[in-house]
Amino acid sequence: MARLYEDEIVVPAASLGPENPHAPLWTPIPMVAHYEGAEIVSNSCLPYRLQDGYDRTLVPRRFRAIILETDRLKATVLPEIGGRLWSLVHKQSDRELLHVNESWQPANIAVRNAWVSGGVEWNPGIYGHTVFTNDPVYAGEIEIPGGVGLRVWEYERLRGTPWSVDLWALDGSDYLFIAPRIVNPNEHAIPMYWWTCIAYPENERTKVLAPARFAIEPDHTAGVDVRKDLEAEPDLTIPSRRDHPHDVYFEIPEGRRPWIAAVEPEGYGTVHVSSPRLKGRKMWVWGMGPNGRRWQSWLAHGGTPYIEIQGGLAMKQNQYVRMPARADWSWLEAIGPTGPDVQHQLDADLPEASFDQLAAKIIAGQRQPARTVAVGSGWGALEQERRRLHREPVLIGPEMPFERGDNSDSWEALLESGAMPDWPEPRDYMIDLRWEERLRLAADKGGWLPRLHLGVMMFAAGRFDEAERAWKHCLEAEENGWALRNLAVLAKIAGRDDAIDVWTRAQKLLPDDPHLVDELCRELLAAGRFPQLTDFVETLRDPLAARPRVRLARAVLAMATGDAPGARAYFDQPFDLFDIRENERTVTELWNQICNALPGAGDPAKPPADYDFRMHA
C-alpha cells in the first residue's frame, strides 16, 4: 500500500534573496501570447513581485520533502518550490525517471525572473514558467480508492483561479497518476494556460517520440512556424543532433491519445500520457552549440544536461484557451517508465477506456484533504473572506482549504478596518478591481501607501491617466521614491523626455536601492545620455558600484565613448550578470561592436564561451 511521509533533501543552493519591492510595470523583453485571434503582450507579472535578488553562491540547503512511495515508485515533492515533483524513482529498475538538478540555482527564465531547472513543474494561469516556481504552496494528504495520495494547491491571483494537482500511485503499478484541476469562480470567461513540464536527462542517443507524423517548429528569428515531416527528418527529435535551442510541437491527430516519451536505444525511457483535454505536446532542447551548452551549465553549475517533454492545454505554448465563466476543469495524466514501443505498452498498461474511466472517477470524488502538511500563501483565504463579506459565491469548496498568511496582511487590514498599515515600503500588490472602491476610500483618507497601490491597480487595468493622478497624489501625501519611479515608467511608456529625470529623482530618494541603480543604468544607456551615466556610476560606492549591471554599464559606456580596449576588458573578468534573460542581446551586441572596432579582439560571431547566452546564433 502507498505510504505518504515527510523527509528532507539537502541540495547545494543559491540564495533566492528578497523580492523586488517595486511594482513590475514593464520588462525589457515582453512575452507575446495568442488568445482568440488576438495578441496578449505581457509586460508585467503584476500582481506578483519580481524574484531577482538571487546570487550564485551555493551552500547546503535543506528542503522539506513529501514522499509518496509504493512497492514500485518513490516520488519526492517539494512544497517550498511550487509543489515541484523533484524526483521520481522506479524502484524495480533502480532508475530515476526525471532529470534531477544537482544544485538549486535560479536564473532569469520564469515569469517573475527566478527559475530553477529539473523535475516536473506545474504551470497554471500565465504564459511562461509559473509564478509559483519558487513560492511555497499548500500540500495535504488525500484519500484515494486503494490508498493515499498528495494534493498541492494554491490561488492564482492574476486570473483569480484556484488550482490543484493530485498525485497518487498504487502498489503493482509503474505509473504516477496526476490529476490537475483549475476552477474559474468568476462570472466571466478568462484566458487559461497550463503546461506540465518534465525534465529528462539529455543523453547522446535520446529520442523523443509522440503519436504524430508532423510537427511545428517555430522559427523565432523569422517569426514564422515551420511544419516538419518527422518521417522525412527523423533527426528533429534527437536532441543531440540539434545545434541551437529549439521547441518542437507535435501535431497529434484529433482523436489520438496524447502522449510524449523520451526513450533510449537500450530500451528504456520515460513516458507522459494524459486524457484528451491536455492535447498539446512539446519537446524542448537547448541544443549542442556553445550557447545552448552555456545555458545548461548556467542552470546547473556544470551539472548534467537535460531536455524537456511537455504537455499543455493548447497546441502551442504561446496560446491561451478560453475558460468559460464558472468552469471547473480537471484531467488525468500519468508518468512512468517505458520501452521503445510506447504505444503498445500504453495500450497494455493503461488501456484508454479504463484510463478515461479512472479520470472521471477521481475527478468526481475530490474531497477535503485528510490533513494539511504544508501551507502556502494567504491570498486564497483573503479572497474567501472578501467574497463572504460581499455575499458572493465561495471561491472554492473545502477540497482546497486556505489559511491566512503574512504576505497578504496589508490587504487583510484594508478589508477589516478600511486602512492600510503604515509600512516603510510597499509590500505585495493587488490588481483585482473588486478592491478598487475600498482602496479609493483608504486613499481619500490620506497616507501615501494606499495611493501608491491605487496607482498600481489603475496601471494594471490600463487606466494610465488615473494611475498618474494616484501617484501624484501619493507624492502630495509624502515625497517618496516609489511613486516617482512609477511615474518615470509612465513617462517612458508615453515617450516623454523627462522619464530619466524623474527616475533620477526617485533614485536620490532611495539611494541604497539596488533595483533603481540597475534601472537607471539601463535607461541612461538606452537614451544615450553618456555624460550623465558617467557622473552617476562615479558616485556609486560598493556594494552598488560592484553590481553586475553597473559593471556592464561601464563597459557599454566605454565602447560608446571610443574606448574599445576598456570595453574589451569587461570580457576578461568572470561572467557575473546573474539575471541575464533569455533572448537578451546586450552582452553579445557589445562583443560584436568591440570586435568590429578593435582589430584582433576576437571573432564577432563567437563571443567568449562564458558570455555566450544567445538563443539563436
Side-chain angles (χ1 to χ4, degrees):
M1 184 174 179
R3 291 193 303 137
L4 188 72
Y5 59 95
E6 296 184 48
D7 201 346
E8 62 180 22
I9 63 171
V10 180
V11 179
S15 169
L16 182 61
E19 292 185 359
N20 188 330
H22 294 280
L25 305 179
W26 66 290
T27 176
I29 306 175
M31 299 180 70
V32 180
H34 301 273
Y35 176 59
E36 296 190 327
E39 286 188 345
I40 296 180
V41 180
S42 177
N43 284 302
S44 168
C45 63
L46 280 169
Y48 304 96
R49 300 195 299 181
L50 290 174
Q51 295 174 322
D52 58 2
Y54 48 87
D55 59 23
R56 292 189 63 82
T57 301
L58 300 184
V59 297
R61 174 178 168 184
R62 297 181 183 275
F63 288 89
R64 186 181 180 194
I66 303 174
I67 312 296
L68 178 64
E69 187 168 6
T70 67
D71 62 336
R72 297 196 181 186
L73 292 175
K74 181 180 179 182
T76 302
V77 175
L78 305 185
E80 294 171 277
I81 52 172
R84 184 180 298 230
L85 177 60
W86 187 254
S87 166
L88 181 60
V89 174
H90 184 242
K91 295 165 65 175
Q92 302 294 99
S93 61
D94 193 28
R95 190 169 68 83
E96 173 63 63
L97 299 181
L98 311 174
H99 164 73
V100 177
N101 200 329
E102 297 162 27
S103 61
W104 187 84
Q105 176 58 66
N108 189 358
I109 291 180
V111 173
R112 297 172 66 188
N113 186 315
W115 180 76
V116 176
S117 63
V120 181
E121 180 183 47
W122 327 110
N123 294 279
I126 307 168
Y127 172 36
H129 288 286
T130 173
V131 295
F132 301 104
T133 194
N134 291 304
D135 274 5
V137 297
Y138 291 88
E141 179 182 329
I142 56 172
E143 297 177 357
I144 58 132
V148 297
L150 176 70
R151 176 174 299 154
V152 297
W153 70 95
E154 250 298 353
Y155 174 59
E156 199 287 287
R157 296 194 290 137
L158 178 59
R159 304 287 178 225
T161 52
W163 63 272
S164 66
V165 178
D166 288 2
L167 304 100
W168 74 96
L170 301 173
D171 279 343
S173 173
D174 291 323
Y175 296 89
L176 177 70
F177 294 98
I178 302 159
R181 181 187 180 198
I182 311 171
V183 178
N184 178 11
N186 303 295
E187 300 299 331
H188 56 271
I190 55 175
M192 184 45 63
Y193 177 95
W194 181 285
W195 281 79
T196 299
C197 296
I198 303 162
Y200 180 86
E202 176 198 86
N203 300 307
E204 184 179 356
R205 295 190 293 169
T206 303
K207 185 175 179 63
V208 175
L209 304 175
R213 176 176 174 178
F214 297 97
I216 298 296
E217 185 169 280
D219 183 335
H220 296 285
T221 303
V224 296
D225 289 342
V226 181
R227 194 167 189 250
K228 300 282 189 175
D229 185 334
L230 298 177
E231 291 185 4
E233 300 182 74
D235 285 359
L236 287 177
T237 62
I238 300 177
S240 65
R241 298 180 186 175
R242 307 310 304 268
D243 290 336
H244 302 296
H246 278 287
D247 34 18
V248 176
Y249 296 95
F250 295 92
E251 286 189 347
I252 299 176
E254 193 72 29
R256 288 292 302 273
R257 187 185 198 181
W259 58 263
I260 188 170
V263 298
E264 308 298 335
E266 292 83 2
Y268 64 85
T270 298
V271 64
H272 171 251
V273 62
S274 71
S275 47
R277 185 181 290 279
L278 200 76
K279 66 180 182 179
R281 287 301 184 276
K282 170 187 165 180
M283 174 189 80
W284 165 256
V285 300
W286 283 106
M288 306 307 290
N291 47 343
R293 296 297 92 187
R294 182 62 178 121
W295 270 110
Q296 292 269 28
S297 175
W298 187 247
L299 290 166
H301 281 270
T304 55
Y306 74 99
I307 64 171
E308 285 194 4
I309 54 175
Q310 306 176 1
L313 288 176
M315 164 66 184
K316 291 175 58 186
Q317 211 162 42
N318 65 346
Q319 296 170 337
Y320 286 101
V321 296
R322 184 178 187 273
M323 188 174 192
R326 310 296 298 176
D328 189 336
W329 287 355
S330 297
W331 60 91
L332 184 62
E333 307 176 36
I335 300 174
T338 188
D341 192 344
V342 181
Q343 187 67 65
H344 176 77
Q345 179 179 315
L346 288 175
D347 290 343
D349 292 351
L350 300 172
E352 192 165 0
S354 61
F355 190 80
D356 291 344
Q357 289 171 5
L358 176 61
K361 183 177 181 180
I362 294 297
I363 290 164
Q366 286 199 344
R367 295 182 178 86
Q368 182 173 355
R371 62 187 178 100
T372 298
V373 296
V375 176
S377 76
W379 295 107
L382 179 68
E383 176 59 12
Q384 288 277 42
E385 180 63 11
R386 189 201 65 78
R387 285 171 172 265
R388 186 189 68 79
L389 291 175
H390 288 267
R391 299 183 179 179
E392 297 175 10
V394 297
L395 176 68
I396 193 69
E399 60 270 29
M400 296 188 212
F402 294 106
E403 300 180 18
R404 290 193 172 192
D406 292 342
N407 49 3
S408 58
D409 51 7
S410 297
W411 300 93
E412 287 181 9
L414 181 64
L415 190 65
E416 294 171 355
S417 68
M420 302 189 91
D422 188 21
W423 303 119
E425 65 178 43
R427 298 176 73 170
D428 291 88
Y429 296 98
M430 174 73 72
I431 63 172
D432 187 338
L433 291 174
R434 289 172 294 192
W435 287 79
E436 180 182 353
E437 181 180 359
R438 194 176 294 270
L439 191 53
R440 285 190 180 277
L441 290 173
D444 289 344
K445 295 176 183 177
W448 70 278
L449 189 57
R451 297 179 181 185
L452 182 84
H453 279 292
L454 179 62
V456 172
M457 182 179 287
M458 295 300 97
F459 181 93
R463 293 151 60 177
F464 289 175
D465 289 345
E466 293 179 68
E468 184 175 21
R469 284 198 296 273
W471 289 328
K472 287 182 176 178
H473 289 160
C474 177
L475 292 174
E476 291 173 2
E478 180 180 327
E479 188 173 38
N480 65 89
W482 312 98
L484 281 170
R485 178 265 185 185
N486 293 348
L487 287 168
V489 175
L490 266 185
K492 172 188 172 68
I493 293 171
R496 299 206 320 256
D497 293 336
D498 65 334
I500 290 177
D501 295 333
V502 181
W503 239 304
T504 301
R505 288 175 57 201
Q507 193 276 329
K508 288 180 178 178
L509 286 173
L510 297 169
D512 298 323
D513 188 317
H515 309 287
L516 287 184
V517 169
D518 289 352
E519 288 183 1
L520 192 51
C521 282
R522 183 183 281 116
E523 294 306 312
L524 288 168
L525 282 174
R529 293 172 67 162
F530 303 130
Q532 186 175 347
L533 177 58
T534 300
D535 292 342
F536 175 60
V537 297
E538 290 303 320
T539 65
L540 298 175
R541 298 291 179 265
D542 286 340
L544 295 178
R547 287 186 63 76
R549 287 285 170 186
V550 175
R551 196 170 79 85
L552 176 60
R554 291 180 186 274
V556 176
L557 181 60
M559 188 67 227
T561 54
D563 182 11
R568 175 63 181 82
Y570 173 77
F571 292 88
D572 295 331
Q573 302 297 317
F575 186 81
D576 65 353
L577 198 62
F578 300 160
D579 66 339
I580 190 167
R581 181 75 174 178
E582 282 183 297
N583 292 320
E584 182 175 348
R585 299 180 176 88
T586 315
V587 174
T588 49
E589 286 177 358
L590 174 61
W591 174 256
N592 188 278
Q593 294 167 8
I594 292 169
C595 293
N596 289 329
L598 193 63
D603 185 344
K606 295 181 178 179
D610 283 356
Y611 284 75
D612 190 359
F613 287 85
R614 295 170 295 172
M615 295 298 291
H616 310 286

